[in-house]
């Protein structure tokens, strides 16, 4: 019976691993950087994000709208960024500014850890999706 339970548990773990993204964190950051435009001073922020993705401890991709994304490169490591499920952004009258605004990492203890935004670069969302599809097509599936 223990062998059966162990086999089922192993199969579940392997299935979960095979469905995980094939790109490592550094590869994802390189992909985003390759499809980012020139730095801009700010972007329009509507008070909440459509989604976001940590790209290490000093960069983050944020989607202000489904087809509008930005690469935010931070001024140094941002404590807790890779482990939090909730972030916030500071803004000035609906604009997030490089060198002035911050990413707020929401700590479960109620503390907002601020991380300064060094640069803001627009992301080509279509090109990123195409590159991700191409990478998935080239990656052999594990069963």
């Amino acid at each position: 019976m223990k062998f059966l339970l162990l086999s089922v548990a192993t199969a579940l773990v392997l299935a979960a691993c095979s469905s995980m993204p094939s790109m490592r964190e550094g590869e994802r950051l390189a992909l985003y950087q390759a499809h980012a435009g020139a730095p801009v001073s700010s972007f329009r922020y509507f008070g909440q994000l459509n989604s976001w993705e940590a790209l290490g401890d000093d960069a983050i991709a944020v989607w202000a709208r489904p087809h509008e994304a930005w690469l935010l490169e931070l001024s140094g490591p941002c404590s807790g960024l890779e482990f939090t499920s909730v972030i916030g952004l500071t803004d000035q009258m609906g604009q997030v500014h490089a060198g002035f605004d911050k990413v707020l990492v929401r700590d479960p203890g109620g503390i907002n850890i601020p991380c300064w935004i060094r640069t803001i670069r627009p992301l080509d969302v279509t090109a990123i999706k195409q590159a991700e599809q191409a990478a998935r097509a080239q990656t052999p599936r594990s069963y």
Side-chain angles (χ1 to χ4, degrees):
M1 185 65 159
K2 287 183 182 179
F3 178 74
L4 178 61
L5 289 175
L6 182 61
S7 297
V8 170
T10 302
L12 289 173
V13 168
L14 290 174
C17 289
S18 68
S19 65
M20 289 182 184
S22 60
M23 285 190 193
R24 283 180 255 134
E25 190 174 86
E27 292 171 331
R28 290 204 60 77
L29 177 57
L31 171 73
Y32 281 73
Q33 288 173 329
H35 296 290
V40 297
S41 61
S42 67
F43 70 93
R44 186 106 175 101
Y45 179 57
F46 299 97
Q48 72 180 48
L49 297 172
N50 192 23
S51 65
W52 65 277
E53 179 180 355
L55 301 167
D57 63 359
D58 62 354
I60 185 169
V62 296
W63 281 259
R65 299 182 196 171
H67 300 290
E68 179 185 322
W70 306 91
L71 176 62
L72 307 181
E73 295 166 315
L74 308 174
S75 295
C78 188
S79 179
L81 182 61
E82 296 174 301
F83 307 108
T84 189
S85 59
V86 181
I87 64 161
L89 297 177
T90 62
D91 69 291
Q92 307 304 311
M93 298 179 61
Q95 291 286 122
V96 174
H97 297 272
F100 187 76
D101 284 305
K102 299 171 271 242
V103 173
L104 301 173
V105 176
R106 307 284 187 189
D107 183 280
I111 300 170
N112 294 328
I113 303 166
C115 305
W116 291 95
I117 300 170
R118 181 174 38 93
T119 60
I120 299 171
R121 297 172 59 193
L123 290 170
D124 184 339
V125 176
T126 303
I128 291 170
K129 287 181 182 180
Q130 290 171 347
E132 289 171 337
Q133 289 173 348
R136 278 193 297 273
Q138 293 177 353
T139 304
R141 292 191 105 168
S142 58
Y143 294 97

